[in-house]
Amino acid sequence: MTGIILFAIALVCLFLGYSVAFTFAGVSLIVGTIVLGADLFAFMPYRIMSIMENTILMAVPMFIFMGIVLQKTGLAERLLESSAKLFGGISGGVAVSTIIVGALLAASTGVVGASVVAMGVISLPVMLKNNYHQPTAAGVICASGTLGQIIPPSIILIILGDVMGVPVGDLFRAAVIPGMLLVIFYTAYILILGKFKPELMPPLVVTESKRELLVQALKDIVPPLVLILAVLGSIFAGIATPTESASIGAVGAVILSIFYGSFSFSKMHEVSKETVKVTSMVFAVLIGATAFSMVFSYSGSEYLIEDFFMELPGGKWTFIILAMLAILILGFFIDFIEIAFLVVPILLPVAIALDINLVWFAILISMNLQTSFLTPPFGFSLFYLKGVAPKWMKTTTIYKGVIPFILMQIMVLLLVILFPEYLIIS
């Protein structure tokens, strides 16, 4: 009963707009003290120290730094402009280039906000100027930006690896095919739509020769591609841990900014401040969620949850369906970080008891959390795009645009549920 009260009060506070970290910490402190006594929180300093000493979580600020460098120094802009011209001659070409660059940015950074804002600032004006169907243009940008949730190195995969006790390198390997499958689905949808309804996505008028466009595209795409291979290749080859590869990525992003002549100490100062802000938010939520999970666990609620799921007919498949539905519905209202720190620890003991492959389960959760970035009314990608879109573009236009991409994400999620032996690299 304590767990239900704790969960209900936390959700109400989040819906009312209170800070996530302080909601978790405050609700846990009040309910925990009333029900279990203040002595319970004598363990909190040890838990916080454990978080601070966690070498896996050290990768989070470095990957965030890497993503913000690519955004602030204009490297993402170069990628988008070159690929837009390269594919612009076909119907839907700018949208296809946005998807490709979204995948490249995802594989470079894993930071959704940076990707959506960068593409919203650069791609959206080009598409609108070229008379693109507004909902489709908005949907492509939002969906492409969220690829950072599943394509490694994903911040959420690092967090899930820590929460679930699964090697992050295994999660990165397992996420490659599902991430690429999403890119294929998105691209195929745009090309088919462009084929049958070219008036929705007219081709660009490109004046440069194909050779010039190809050379420029190679100059802008190859160096970031080398960085991606260095980061992910070092993990997959077993040469470096995710934390070590994150440091490679951070340094590599700075080197790229020097290579393209966009480096400056003032920009690095701005990047560093932004990194500290985002990282502080993540770790503040983590500390608050630690207090929450401690009260939830010591009140015996996790055993009630486990008994409930274990007694349901259908075994692991009933659990998987209910867990995915719960995460999908919660994703309409709360952020992926809260779900990762709040809901996953509740579901984890049940998954272990049912002998579910935790790598597979983590990938399902990650893909589901990716959908939460697009689902109205509180999808973060929708807010990111609305913040940089023209003032006359309605929020409902963005909502309409993401619907096909939400359906595609659910389709790919179902494929990964049904055919893990083909789509998960172990």
Side-chain angles (χ1 to χ4, degrees):
M1 188 65 183
T2 303
I4 296 172
I5 294 171
L6 190 70
F7 202 82
I9 295 173
L11 283 179
V12 169
C13 291
L14 290 174
F15 292 156
L16 292 174
Y18 288 101
S19 167
V20 175
F22 295 115
T23 292
F24 284 166
V27 171
S28 304
L29 183 63
I30 294 168
V31 175
T33 302
I34 293 171
V35 177
L36 301 170
D39 290 344
L40 170 69
F41 295 97
F43 295 102
M44 269 306 293
Y46 299 102
R47 295 209 172 202
I48 293 171
M49 184 59 69
S50 175
I51 293 169
M52 295 301 104
E53 292 177 346
N54 192 322
T55 55
I56 295 173
L57 293 176
M58 285 172 59
V60 173
M62 285 186 281
F63 278 130
I64 291 171
F65 175 86
M66 181 179 165
I68 297 173
V69 167
L70 291 179
Q71 182 198 0
K72 296 288 186 183
T73 57
L75 300 184
E77 185 176 345
R78 293 178 67 102
L79 271 174
L80 277 164
E81 287 177 348
S82 293
S83 57
K85 289 180 180 177
L86 190 63
F87 294 99
I90 61 173
S91 293
V94 181
V96 170
S97 71
T98 301
I99 294 167
I100 292 170
V101 172
L104 288 173
L105 290 177
S108 305
T109 69
V111 182
V112 170
S115 299
V116 174
V117 169
M119 292 189 291
V121 169
I122 301 155
S123 285
L124 185 60
V126 175
M127 287 194 267
L128 295 178
K129 184 180 177 181
N130 207 50
N131 297 318
Y132 263 57
H133 183 234
Q134 290 181 25
T136 303
V140 166
I141 292 171
C142 289
S144 301
T146 62
L147 289 170
Q149 281 290 93
I150 186 65
I151 294 178
S154 162
I155 301 298
I156 189 59
L157 289 177
I158 296 171
I159 292 173
L160 287 175
D162 178 65
V163 171
M164 300 177 71
V166 177
V168 176
D170 291 353
L171 293 183
F172 280 5
R173 274 190 291 273
V176 170
I177 293 179
M180 290 301 101
L181 200 57
L182 275 175
V183 174
I184 292 169
F185 268 62
Y186 292 171
T187 306
Y189 168 72
I190 292 298
L191 290 176
I192 292 169
L193 192 63
K195 175 74 174 175
F196 291 100
K197 292 190 174 180
E199 69 278 3
L200 296 181
M201 296 177 288
L204 283 179
V205 178
V206 180
T207 55
E208 295 94 332
S209 67
K210 284 284 180 67
R211 181 183 175 82
E212 289 175 331
L213 291 174
L214 189 59
V215 170
Q216 187 60 45
L218 289 174
K219 284 181 182 178
D220 292 334
I221 293 172
V222 170
L225 204 56
V226 171
L227 178 62
I228 293 165
L229 293 174
V231 172
L232 296 183
S234 60
I235 298 173
F236 295 162
I239 299 170
T241 65
T243 305
E244 291 165 343
S245 69
S247 65
I248 294 171
V251 173
V254 175
I255 292 172
L256 276 183
S257 69
I258 296 170
F259 175 77
Y260 285 118
S262 55
F263 175 88
S264 72
F265 286 106
S266 62
K267 283 181 181 176
M268 287 301 109
H269 179 65
E270 191 179 344
V271 166
S272 299
K273 285 200 300 184
E274 196 68 28
T275 302
V276 170
K277 285 180 186 176
V278 178
T279 304
S280 300
M281 180 270 292
V282 172
F283 279 84
V285 172
L286 176 51
I287 292 170
T290 299
F292 187 95
S293 63
M294 188 170 69
V295 175
F296 191 88
S297 177
Y298 280 98
S299 68
S301 299
E302 67 176 38
Y303 297 108
L304 294 175
I305 296 290
E306 185 176 337
D307 290 343
F308 170 75
F309 278 109
M310 295 296 287
E311 290 172 5
L312 288 174
K316 77 171 187 178
W317 292 110
T318 302
F319 169 69
I320 290 290
I321 292 167
L322 290 178
M324 292 301 107
L325 279 174
I327 292 173
L328 181 65
I329 292 167
L330 284 172
F332 278 78
F333 306 104
I334 60 177
D335 188 18
F336 76 100
I337 295 177
E338 294 99 272
I339 295 174
F341 289 138
L342 184 67
V343 180
V344 175
I346 297 171
L347 299 176
L348 183 59
V350 185
I352 294 171
L354 291 171
D355 197 28
I356 292 172
N357 184 309
L358 293 185
V359 172
W360 175 57
F361 191 48
I363 298 301
L364 297 183
I365 292 171
S366 180
M367 295 192 71
N368 208 332
L369 291 178
Q370 179 182 356
T371 306
S372 74
F373 270 83
L374 298 180
T375 47
F378 299 120
F380 271 63
S381 287
L382 312 178
F383 294 152
Y384 292 141
L385 182 61
K386 180 60 179 172
V388 296
K391 291 183 180 180
W392 48 260
M393 179 175 275
K394 297 179 180 178
T395 304
T396 51
T397 300
I398 301 175
Y399 286 178
K400 289 176 186 175
V402 297
I403 291 172
F405 296 93
I406 292 172
L407 295 176
M408 283 185 275
Q409 287 186 354
I410 294 173
M411 284 171 61
V412 174
L413 176 62
L414 289 173
L415 288 174
V416 177
I417 290 174
L418 295 173
F419 305 107
E421 65 274 19
Y422 301 110
L423 300 177
I424 298 290
I425 301 174
S426 57

